[in-house]
Amino acid sequence: MNTSKEEFLSAFIDDESGEFERRRLLDELKKDDALGQTLSRYAFIGETMRASKGQPMGQGLLSRIQEELADEPAYAPDNVVAMPARANTTAAPSRVQAYRWFGMGMAATVAAVAVGGLLFFNQPTAPDAQMAAALPATVPVNAAAPAPTMVADADTRIQQVGRVDPQTRDILKQYVAQHVKYASTTVIAPSIRAASYAND
Amino acid sequence: MLTIKYTVSIAVLAGVLAWSTPSMANEAGDLLAKMRSAVHTLDYSGTLVYSQGNELSNYQISHTLENGTEKESVVRLAQGASASDAESFSLAKLQQVQPQMEAVYALDLGGQEFVANRNCQVVVARPRDKMRYLQRYCIEPDTGMLLKYSLVDRSHNTVEQLMFTALEIAVPAQAALQPAPPVANSTPSAAIPPATDWVFASLPAGFQQVQDLRQEGVNGQPPIRQLILSDGMTSVSVFIAPPGAPSMLDSIGISSGAMNIYATEVAQHQVTLVGEVPALTLQRISENLQYAR
C-alpha cells in the first residue's frame, strides 16, 4: 500500500474525505485486503485511544463502514455464515485450480531464487524471514475469495443472530455458555467471547 | 566460476532452510509453552481491549499467585454504565501445548512488535488445513506474558483479537519453582463414559473426542448430551438434544467473531455444534455424526 492510500485512509477515518473519495475508498476496500487490514488497525488504535480518555467505544467508524459496505452488492455480512457447499472430491481440477497451483509454484520458485540471491550476496534477511513467518501460508487471497452472495441450501435457512426466535436464542445462549464453561480449554478469552455473543 | 557460486549458494540456502525451520518451530513452541505457564504463575494487572468483528470492549484484569493459589479479578469497563464483573474470564484457562497439535498446526516465529510499552515476539500457529483458524500471539520473551492475540481466517481477516493497552507484571518469588497448576475448569455436571450410541465416522485431522458430558435440562427439560472434541488448541462442543426437547425448528448457521454455531438434525435429534473453528469444520463434523442405536 502506498503513502497516498494511507493518507487517503487517514482522512477517511477522520471524516475529512469527500463523497467521491469515500466511494473510491470503499471500492478499494473491497479489492485490497491489505488496505482493509490497515483500516482495521487504524480504527482499532483510534478506538483504543478514545477509550483511554473515557469516550465511548465501538459505535463509530467501523460500524458505519460496515453499514455502507452492506449496501454494496458484493458484500456479505460477516455475522451470517453461508452453509459451505459440499466438496466434490471426484471432480477434476478446474482451470482456476490449475492456475492457482501454477501461481503458487511460480511464487515459491521466485521466493526461493530471491532468498538464495539474498543469501549469496550477503543481504540482511532476518526481517523478511520473520515477516514471511508471520504471514499465514494459505492460498492466495484472490484465489480464496468467497462467493459474493451467500446462497443457502434449499433445506437450510440461515438466520441472523438478531432474527432468531426467543426460544432458539435462549437455547443458543445456554449452549454457548456450556461450551465456554466445559470445552474452551484452549481458547484465549472464552468468557469475553460469550459475553459479546450474549450482547448481540 | 559462476556455476560454482550458484551451486554453493543453493547448497547454503538448502542447508539454512533445513536447519532453521525446525529450530524456529522449536523456539516458537517453547515460547508458546512459556506463555501458557506464565499466565498462571505471573502477577499481572492491566487493561486490555478485545475486538470481535466490529465490536470492541475494554477490560481491567489482575492476576496474582498467592501460596500457589491463583486469584483473578476481571472487570468489564462498560461504557456509560457501572462496571460489571466477568468472573469466569481468565487468561489462565490456557492449557499446555499438546503434542498432537503440531500435527495440524505449524509453529512459526514472526517479527517483533511493541505492545503496551513492551517488546514482544510474534508466534504463529498456522493450520495445515482449512479446518481451523490461524492463531497469532505476541509474547514478551523475558516473562512469557501474552500481550496480544488474534485469530485469523483463511481470507486473512482477523475475526477476533485481544491486546493489552497497559500492563504491569511482577514475577512471584515462587513462580520459577512451581509448575503451572492444572487448568481450573469447572467440574462438569455429569461425566459419563465415552459415547457408544453416538459415534463419528471420521473427524477432521487432529480432532478427537475428549469428553462426553450430560448437561441437566433446565425447568424439567430432558438432559442434553455434550460431546467435546479438541485438536489440542481449539475445541468444538456437539450438543445433542433428544426428540421432544425444545428445538430451534430450523437449521441455522451463526457466526460471532471466531465462534461459529451450526445446528442441524441427525436421527431425529437436534444437534448443535459450537466452536472456535470455521463453519465448514462444524458442518463436516455433523455430517459424520451417527446414531448407532
Side-chain angles (χ1 to χ4, degrees):
Chain A
M1 196 176 64
N2 57 39
T3 305
S4 64
K5 275 190 181 176
E6 289 182 352
E7 291 172 352
F8 197 37
L9 194 60
S10 181
F12 178 75
I13 286 175
D14 294 337
D15 259 349
E16 293 173 353
S17 59
E19 176 62 29
F20 174 76
E21 292 169 321
R22 196 160 55 88
R23 179 56 50 188
R24 190 175 149 204
L25 183 63
L26 288 172
D27 290 339
E28 283 290 323
L29 280 170
K30 287 191 293 182
K31 294 182 291 188
D32 190 342
D33 277 5
L35 187 65
Q37 293 285 345
T38 304
L39 171 66
S40 296
R41 196 165 61 248
Y42 283 4
F44 192 62
I45 293 168
E47 296 279 2
T48 303
M49 291 175 68
R50 281 191 288 278
S52 66
K53 294 175 183 174
Q55 295 178 12
M57 303 165 53
Q59 300 298 317
L61 178 72
L62 283 179
S63 296
R64 290 204 306 276
I65 292 172
Q66 296 281 12
E67 287 168 9
E68 294 205 36
L69 286 175
D71 295 332
E72 299 292 323
Y75 175 72
D78 66 357
N79 63 340
V80 178
V81 177
M83 298 302 168
R86 292 177 188 276
N88 184 1
T89 55
T90 59
S94 67
R95 180 174 295 185
V96 172
Q97 287 174 315
Y99 283 144
R100 186 184 302 168
W101 281 108
F102 176 74
M104 291 171 70
M106 286 297 291
T109 305
V110 170
V113 171
V115 173
L118 287 171
L119 284 171
F120 183 75
F121 292 106
N122 199 26
Q123 295 293 322
T125 60
D128 291 338
Q130 288 170 347
M131 286 175 64
L135 290 172
T138 53
V139 294
V141 173
N142 290 340
T149 305
M150 304 294 189
V151 180
D153 294 340
D155 59 344
T156 57
R157 282 173 46 196
I158 303 169
Q159 303 179 15
Q160 294 185 29
V161 173
R163 294 180 184 173
V164 297
D165 61 272
Q167 177 173 290
T168 297
R169 193 179 178 85
D170 288 345
I171 293 172
L172 291 180
K173 281 185 178 179
Q174 181 187 351
Y175 286 166
V176 170
Q178 288 174 344
H179 172 74
V180 167
K181 191 173 182 181
Y182 299 121
S184 56
T185 53
T186 53
V187 295
I188 194 78
S191 296
I192 287 179
R193 187 176 287 120
S196 299
Y197 173 74
N199 288 339
D200 281 340
Chain B
M1 186 63 182
L2 195 59
T3 307
I4 294 173
K5 275 188 177 179
Y6 282 126
T7 305
V8 170
S9 168
I10 291 171
V12 168
L13 171 63
V16 168
L17 290 176
W19 172 80
S20 65
T21 303
S23 172
M24 288 179 68
N26 290 342
E27 197 175 336
D30 291 345
L31 201 52
L32 208 55
K34 186 176 183 180
M35 176 200 77
R36 294 188 178 210
S37 177
V39 292
H40 290 288
T41 55
L42 294 178
D43 286 356
Y44 53 85
S45 64
T47 305
L48 60 85
V49 179
Y50 173 73
S51 80
Q52 182 190 49
N54 62 346
E55 295 296 326
L56 293 173
S57 45
N58 219 5
Y59 290 82
Q60 181 74 39
I61 180 171
S62 70
H63 174 276
T64 57
L65 190 62
E66 297 177 7
N67 300 321
T69 303
E70 289 182 66
K71 293 185 177 177
E72 287 186 307
S73 165
V74 179
V75 176
R76 181 170 184 169
L77 305 176
Q79 52 191 37
S82 58
S84 58
D85 288 332
E87 293 176 355
S88 56
F89 163 62
S90 171
L91 287 178
K93 280 195 171 185
L94 284 168
Q95 280 194 328
Q96 285 302 319
V97 175
Q98 304 292 318
Q100 73 268 22
M101 77 175 221
E102 292 203 48
V104 286
Y105 293 93
L107 299 181
D108 298 316
L109 273 184
Q112 292 197 338
E113 292 187 2
F114 193 66
V115 177
N117 283 327
R118 294 169 179 273
N119 289 307
C120 58
Q121 172 74 52
V122 172
V123 174
V124 177
R126 179 167 39 88
R128 299 184 191 275
D129 61 20
K130 58 184 177 182
M131 307 306 281
R132 53 215 102 218
Y133 292 123
L134 181 145
Q135 304 191 25
R136 189 176 187 274
Y137 304 83
C138 202
I139 303 167
E140 189 177 46
D142 291 342
T143 61
M145 185 63 193
L146 176 67
L147 303 182
K148 187 178 176 183
Y149 170 78
S150 56
L151 284 170
V152 182
D153 69 13
R154 296 265 301 172
S155 300
H156 298 202
N157 295 318
T158 300
V159 289
E160 284 190 18
Q161 59 182 320
L162 174 154
M163 181 176 74
F164 275 98
T165 55
L167 181 64
E168 292 183 8
I169 302 175
V171 181
Q174 70 272 31
L177 303 175
Q178 291 190 343
V183 173
N185 257 8
S186 306
T187 305
S189 51
I192 57 178
T196 54
D197 50 350
W198 288 96
V199 294
F200 296 94
S202 68
L203 287 171
F207 278 100
Q208 56 184 343
Q209 185 176 326
V210 294
Q211 284 198 78
D212 183 358
L213 309 176
R214 188 186 303 276
Q215 305 292 357
E216 294 303 324
V218 180
N219 298 329
Q221 299 297 333
I224 306 294
R225 197 75 163 268
Q226 182 182 7
L227 310 179
I228 300 175
L229 314 174
S230 174
D231 70 353
M233 291 196 83
T234 192
S235 55
V236 172
S237 285
V238 182
F239 295 96
I240 304 172
S247 72
M248 289 175 277
L249 299 177
D250 294 310
S251 293
I252 55 174
I254 294 173
S255 174
S256 180
M259 176 177 281
N260 280 288
I261 302 172
Y262 178 71
T264 187
E265 187 178 293
V266 178
Q268 297 181 320
H269 291 68
Q270 180 78 47
V271 174
T272 307
L273 298 95
V274 182
E276 296 79 18
V277 293
L280 170 67
T281 308
L282 299 182
Q283 190 190 31
R284 188 69 55 82
I285 291 171
S286 73
E287 288 171 351
N288 284 283
L289 179 62
Q290 297 175 352
Y291 188 46
R293 267 182 198 169

